[in-house]
Amino acid sequence: MKFVEAILLLIATLVFSVFCIAPLQSMQGNPALQYEFGVARGESPPPTWMLPFDDSYIFIRYAQQAHRGLPFQWTTGEPSSGASSFLYPLLLLPGQWLYDSIEGWSWWSRIVGFVGLWLLGLATTLFMRSLDLPRPWPLAAGVAVVWSGPVGFGALTGMESALNAAAVLVTLALWVRLSKGRTILHSALLSALLSILPLLRPENLLLTLLAAAAILVLRQPPLPRWAAPVVLIPGLAVALLNLKSTGLAQPTAVVTKSWLGIAFPDLFTLIKLYLLGLWTEILPVYLGARGFLLWPPVGIATLATAAAAIWWLLRKIR
């Protein structure tokens, strides 16, 4: 059954990639995007390989420089940490080996994003199964997340969003499973993922810090207590590398693109901004008000699946 689920999620990812994320398809019926790309003004449409976000090409640029033997340099000779993910440009390196043009590099970014979105579906199913949700909810949750507009759109246009989310969910699934009984293999995988999370996104260091604190505080932690400082080493090493290279512990991209122009706002401001973004940006997408990012009725299916999972968990708690 698990193999069948993986194939079904692969098909769901393929369907989403074909019908939902191509910039030219997203542009249809959306005057704002048509104007942005110049089609409404009689200009030629962009090529199908073009990625719509400048962030995608930032990752490609750092991969290109790494391929030239100049890692962490946007401009040759000038140290920089402008890529918001330490690892993601390395995943784009094979595109540099295989292709010698921006068209090939762009398609490779789409392929990596496609795999990341499929892995996110698998990770969601695994996490739901670790919570003991019965069939068909784990698979339904995986499909709903794969067909979720914002994350899938970002992933299939060359971003690391889905891959990062998949790593977080697998980490949570392993944590839950290990809380029920420790195995050497699962312990090793959990330790590796907790260490890698900050390398995928710098803000994930907070999750690793929380996990390390939990390992030290819990009576029966899923990992031995000596693992708490060990899992922090990679994230702290990257922070020290950034500090030495640019004078900032966090990537320069975090500072230049963060809300309010500062890297880490206070907790109250963060909560307020997240709620505002949820109300003005995310919720309209899932309710169909910004349908070009979502394939109806996927938004309703996603919300229904989330509601069913929450209902099931509340029943178990009671």
Side-chain angles (χ1 to χ4, degrees):
M1 183 60 184
K2 293 180 181 180
F3 176 76
V4 174
E5 288 179 345
I7 296 300
L8 290 175
L9 287 168
L10 182 63
I11 294 173
T13 307
L14 180 62
V15 170
F16 184 91
S17 68
V18 170
F19 291 102
C20 291
I21 57 82
L24 294 180
Q25 292 171 340
S26 297
M27 186 170 52
Q28 295 175 2
N30 190 286
L33 284 179
Q34 289 178 353
Y35 181 81
E36 181 180 345
F37 284 107
V39 176
R41 301 190 298 273
E43 300 176 13
S44 300
T48 55
W49 52 262
M50 191 186 80
L51 306 175
F53 299 132
D54 59 346
D55 303 63
S56 305
Y57 287 106
I58 290 174
F59 285 127
I60 289 176
R61 171 63 175 177
Y62 277 100
Q64 182 185 54
Q65 288 291 78
H67 178 61
R68 295 170 175 170
L70 303 169
F72 314 114
Q73 295 184 30
W74 176 271
T75 302
T76 300
E78 296 182 8
S80 170
S81 60
S84 54
S85 174
F86 182 85
L87 283 181
Y88 199 71
L90 301 182
L91 299 179
L92 302 183
L93 267 177
Q96 300 290 320
W97 304 335
L98 296 172
Y99 306 102
D100 58 1
S101 68
I102 191 172
E103 179 178 354
W105 303 332
S106 299
W107 280 116
W108 180 259
S109 292
R110 288 192 186 277
I111 292 172
V112 174
F114 178 93
V115 173
L117 185 57
W118 179 47
L119 291 176
L120 176 57
L122 294 173
T124 303
T125 304
L126 176 66
F127 177 61
M128 290 298 181
R129 191 178 289 118
S130 71
L131 298 178
D132 297 326
L133 264 71
R135 296 174 181 173
W137 295 117
L139 178 59
V143 174
V145 169
V146 165
W147 282 356
S148 170
V151 174
F153 185 83
L156 291 165
T157 50
M159 302 296 290
E160 84 287 13
S161 53
L163 190 64
N164 179 65
V168 172
L169 285 178
V170 172
T171 302
L172 292 174
L174 286 172
W175 187 283
V176 172
R177 290 196 173 190
L178 284 170
S179 65
K180 303 173 184 178
R182 187 183 300 173
T183 65
I184 295 178
L185 177 59
H186 285 170
S187 297
L189 288 174
L190 178 58
S191 300
L193 281 171
L194 285 173
S195 302
I196 290 173
L197 283 181
L199 308 187
L200 286 171
R201 291 287 305 180
E203 59 269 28
N204 287 346
L205 181 59
L206 178 60
L207 297 176
T208 304
L209 284 169
L210 289 174
I215 291 170
L216 294 174
V217 171
L218 293 177
R219 290 185 178 180
Q220 293 182 333
L223 292 175
R225 301 196 188 281
W226 58 260
V230 173
V231 297
L232 296 175
I233 292 175
L236 294 177
V238 172
L240 289 174
L241 176 63
N242 290 335
L243 186 63
K244 181 179 179 181
S245 301
T246 66
L248 294 170
Q250 64 269 29
T252 52
V254 173
V255 179
T256 57
K257 291 194 172 185
S258 66
W259 289 315
L260 306 181
I262 56 179
F264 299 103
D266 62 89
L267 182 60
F268 176 77
T269 302
L270 276 175
I271 294 173
K272 183 173 67 174
L273 289 171
Y274 272 117
L275 291 176
L276 181 64
L278 176 66
W279 181 257
T280 61
E281 297 291 334
I282 303 300
L283 196 58
V285 169
Y286 281 93
L287 294 179
R290 297 179 62 189
F292 79 97
L293 282 178
L294 203 62
W295 184 22
V298 174
I300 304 301
T302 303
L303 292 174
T305 305
I310 293 172
W311 173 77
W312 177 262
L313 288 174
L314 289 176
R315 282 189 60 190
K316 290 198 67 176
I317 292 173
R318 289 177 183 175

